[in-house]
Amino acid sequence: MAKKAKAQPQEKSLSKERIIEASIALLDEHGESGLTFRALSEELATGAGAIYWHIENKSELLTAACDEVIARTLNMLTPGAPPASAIRELALKLFDAIDAHPWVGSAIILAPGEKPVIRIFEQIGQHIQAIEVSEGRQWVVASTLLHYILGVSALNAANSQIAQQRSLERTSFLTTMSQQWSQLDQHKYPFTRNIAGQLPAHDDREDFLIGIDLILEGISSLRISDSEE
Amino acid sequence: MAKKAKAQPQEKSLSKERIIEASIALLDEHGESGLTFRALSEELATGAGAIYWHIENKSELLTAACDEVIARTLNMLTPGAPPASAIRELALKLFDAIDAHPWVGSAIILAPGEKPVIRIFEQIGQHIQAIEVSEGRQWVVASTLLHYILGVSALNAANSQIAQQRSLERTSFLTTMSQQWSQLDQHKYPFTRNIAGQLPAHDDREDFLIGIDLILEGISSLRISDSEE
DNA sequence: ACCTGAACACCGTTCAAGT
DNA sequence: ACCTGAACACCGTTCAAGT
C-alpha cells in the first residue's frame, strides 16, 4: 500500500541538490578529473541522461558545486566585525576552504561574473563601504582585493593538485621545487635563485594575509590623499 | 645529389619549435579548445605519434606555448627604468599580452612553479630588490604582486573566452552582465547591485594599474615603518 | 514529469610497424 | 632517429524509449 518501497528513507529521487552533493564528494576525493558523468551516475545509481534532466551541462554543475562550498564558507563569517578585520577573516576563511577543496580554486576562476565570484565581491564591497572609501574608488578597491584573493586561490589550487597527482606531501613538494630553483642560471634568475632557500620555510597562509594587509595599507593612504584634496 | 628534395625551403622536419608555433596559432584562432592533437597533426601534416616524439604530453605543450608568449613579452621591456615604473610596465605588457592571447591567462595558472611563472616572478623580484625592500620582506612583497597580476590575468582570460564562446563583443557582454547584476536581490547584494551601473564604463586595464599602484603604495609605507624600527 | 542506457562524436595517448 | 596511423580507453552529450 505504501508508495513503493519505503525501505531507503531519504535519498530517493534525484534532485539538483543530491547531484551537487555527490559532485562535491567526487571532486574532494579524486580532484578535478574525478567529476565525470559516469562516476556520477554510478554514485547516484542512475543513468547519465537523468542527470541532464536536472542540470544544463558539466560546466554549470562545476560552478554550482563551487558555489555551494563558497556559500557555506561565507555563512561562517562572524557578523559585525570592524571592516579591516572582517576582510582579513573573509580572506582567511576562503583560503582555508580552497585549501580543503583545491578544485574550488580553479572552478571559481572559470566562472567569472557567476554567483561564486559575485558572493565574494559583494562581501568585500560591503566592508569597503564601511571603511569609507570614496564612492568613485569603491569599484577599483574592491576588485583589487578580489583579484588578489582569487589569484592566490587559483595558484594554490594548482599547486596542491599537482602535488596530489604526483602524490607528494606538501613538504617534499616544496623542497623539490626549491632545489630546482636553486639550480637556475645565476645570470638570468638571480632573484629567484637566491630566494629559493626561503621557499620551504614560508607559510603560504601567513604570506597571503600579509598581502591583504599590504593592499589595505595602500587603501588607507589612498583615503588620506583623497581627503586632502 | 642534394639531400632529398630541397623543394620546400624551411618547414621541413618536425621540431619542438614548429609544434609550439602551430599550437599558438591554433590557440589564438580557436581558443583553448582549439588545441587538439588531431588539429595539430593536420596543421603540421603529420601523425599524432610524431608529435609525441617531440613532447611529453598535452600539458607540457600548453605550458611551452604559454612560456613562449610570456618570454617574448618580457623581452620587449625597456631596460633601466626606475623600479616602480618598471613594475608598472611589466604589469601592463603582461595585461596586453594576455588580452591578445586569452588562453595564456588560464595556461599560466595551471603550471605554477613552471617557467612562465618563474620568469615573471624573477622580473618582479629584481625590481623589488632595486626598490630597497628589506631582505626578509622581499618574498612576500614579490609574491603579492605576482598573485595579483595572475589573478587579474586569469579572470580576464576567462571573461574573454566566455565572450568569445557566445561570440559577443566586449561591450554587449558587459552590458548584459551589468543588467543581471542590477536585478540582484537588494537585501543580499546591495553593493554589487548599486555598483552594477559602473561596470560597462570601467576600463579594466586602468583599474588593473590602479591596483598595482595600491600595492606599491602599501609597500612604500611598509618600508617606512621598517626603517622606523 | 522523470528516468534509462545505448549510441555518437570526440578526446589524449600508446604502440607495432615502417623508413 | 624519426615518423605513420590504427587502436584503445575514456570523455560529454543526445535521444528514442520506457514509466
Side-chain angles (χ1 to χ4, degrees):
Chain A
M1 236 95 318
K3 294 185 178 181
K4 293 255 173 152
K6 270 205 172 176
Q8 303 92 330
Q10 314 294 57
E11 49 170 302
K12 287 287 322 202
S13 71
L14 212 50
S15 69
K16 198 162 171 174
E17 288 74 39
R18 275 192 65 213
I19 296 175
I20 292 174
E21 220 50 56
S23 300
I24 294 178
L26 281 172
L27 287 162
D28 282 345
E29 211 168 345
H30 304 106
E32 210 147 351
S33 65
L35 181 61
T36 71
F37 280 86
R38 287 162 227 252
L40 205 48
S41 2
E42 184 147 355
E43 195 83 358
L44 294 165
T46 181
I51 298 172
Y52 274 91
W53 198 90
H54 294 272
I55 61 141
E56 200 83 27
N57 51 42
K58 184 171 178 179
S59 150
E60 190 215 318
L61 179 56
L62 186 61
T63 305
C66 171
D67 192 51
E68 181 62 30
V69 175
I70 297 292
R72 278 181 202 162
T73 306
L74 298 183
N75 275 337
M76 286 171 51
L77 298 174
T78 50
S85 59
I87 290 179
R88 277 195 207 93
E89 193 200 0
L90 167 68
L92 274 190
K93 285 267 160 66
L94 281 174
F95 186 93
D96 291 337
I98 291 171
D99 196 53
H101 314 273
W103 54 271
V104 170
S106 32
I108 199 171
I109 251 181
L110 292 176
E114 292 292 320
K115 257 164 54 192
V117 174
I118 295 183
R119 277 187 213 275
I120 299 172
F121 186 63
E122 174 68 27
Q123 288 294 319
I124 296 175
Q126 288 183 16
H127 298 313
I128 289 301
Q129 278 182 317
I131 233 175
E132 287 181 13
V133 172
S134 75
E135 217 173 299
R137 288 259 145 97
Q138 292 178 358
W139 172 280
V140 209
V141 166
S143 22
T144 300
L145 279 165
L146 176 71
H147 285 122
Y148 173 65
I149 293 175
L150 295 189
V152 175
S153 301
L155 229 39
N156 248 41
N159 266 326
S160 43
Q161 246 156 13
I162 290 172
Q164 186 181 334
Q165 267 174 25
R166 308 189 195 156
S167 59
L168 298 167
E169 342 118 57
R170 215 189 105 79
T171 330
S172 67
F173 176 66
L174 288 181
T175 313
T176 313
M177 192 180 283
S178 164
Q179 278 165 357
Q180 282 173 6
W181 285 16
S182 59
Q183 277 154 21
L184 287 169
D185 181 276
Q186 176 71 279
H187 278 89
K188 290 168 73 176
Y189 298 96
F191 178 77
T192 311
R193 199 189 137 114
N194 288 337
I195 220 165
Q198 294 186 32
L199 213 177
H202 264 272
D203 179 350
D204 282 354
R205 198 170 178 271
E206 204 175 317
D207 290 352
F208 172 55
L209 200 57
I210 298 179
I212 295 279
D213 285 340
L214 222 50
I215 298 177
L216 289 175
E217 193 63 45
I219 294 173
S220 61
S221 55
L222 188 92
R223 281 163 58 216
I224 292 166
S225 69
D226 264 9
S227 59
E228 273 170 0
E229 281 162 25
Chain B
M1 238 111 294
K3 291 187 180 180
K4 293 252 173 157
K6 271 204 171 176
Q8 303 93 328
Q10 315 295 52
E11 48 171 301
K12 286 286 322 197
S13 71
L14 212 51
S15 68
K16 197 162 172 176
E17 288 73 38
R18 276 192 64 213
I19 296 175
I20 292 174
E21 220 50 56
S23 300
I24 293 178
L26 281 171
L27 287 161
D28 282 344
E29 211 169 344
H30 305 106
E32 210 149 349
S33 65
L35 181 61
T36 70
F37 280 86
R38 288 164 226 253
L40 205 48
S41 6
E42 184 147 357
E43 194 83 359
L44 294 166
T46 181
I51 298 172
Y52 274 91
W53 198 90
H54 295 272
I55 62 142
E56 201 83 25
N57 51 42
K58 186 173 178 177
S59 150
E60 190 215 319
L61 178 56
L62 186 61
T63 305
C66 171
D67 192 51
E68 182 62 32
V69 175
I70 296 292
R72 279 181 202 163
T73 307
L74 298 184
N75 275 337
M76 288 172 50
L77 297 175
T78 52
S85 58
I87 290 178
R88 278 194 206 95
E89 194 200 357
L90 167 69
L92 274 190
K93 286 269 160 64
L94 281 175
F95 186 93
D96 292 337
I98 291 169
D99 198 52
H101 315 273
W103 53 272
V104 171
S106 31
I108 200 172
I109 253 181
L110 293 177
E114 291 293 319
K115 257 166 52 195
V117 175
I118 295 183
R119 276 187 213 275
I120 299 173
F121 186 64
E122 174 68 28
Q123 289 294 320
I124 297 176
Q126 288 183 16
H127 298 313
I128 289 301
Q129 277 182 317
I131 231 174
E132 289 181 10
V133 172
S134 74
E135 218 174 300
R137 289 258 145 98
Q138 292 178 358
W139 171 279
V140 209
V141 165
S143 31
T144 300
L145 279 165
L146 176 72
H147 284 122
Y148 173 65
I149 292 175
L150 295 189
V152 175
S153 301
L155 229 40
N156 248 40
N159 267 326
S160 42
Q161 245 155 15
I162 290 171
Q164 186 182 332
Q165 267 174 26
R166 308 189 196 155
S167 60
L168 297 167
E169 342 117 58
R170 216 190 105 78
T171 329
S172 68
F173 176 66
L174 288 180
T175 314
T176 313
M177 193 181 282
S178 164
Q179 279 165 357
Q180 283 173 6
W181 286 15
S182 60
Q183 277 154 21
L184 287 169
D185 181 276
Q186 177 69 279
H187 277 88
K188 289 168 74 176
Y189 298 95
F191 178 77
T192 311
R193 198 188 138 115
N194 287 337
I195 218 165
Q198 294 185 32
L199 212 176
H202 265 273
D203 180 350
D204 281 353
R205 198 169 178 274
E206 204 174 318
D207 289 352
F208 171 55
L209 201 57
I210 299 179
I212 295 280
D213 286 340
L214 222 52
I215 298 176
L216 289 175
E217 193 63 46
I219 293 171
S220 61
S221 55
L222 187 92
R223 280 163 57 217
I224 292 166
S225 70
D226 263 11
S227 59
E228 272 171 359
E229 280 163 24

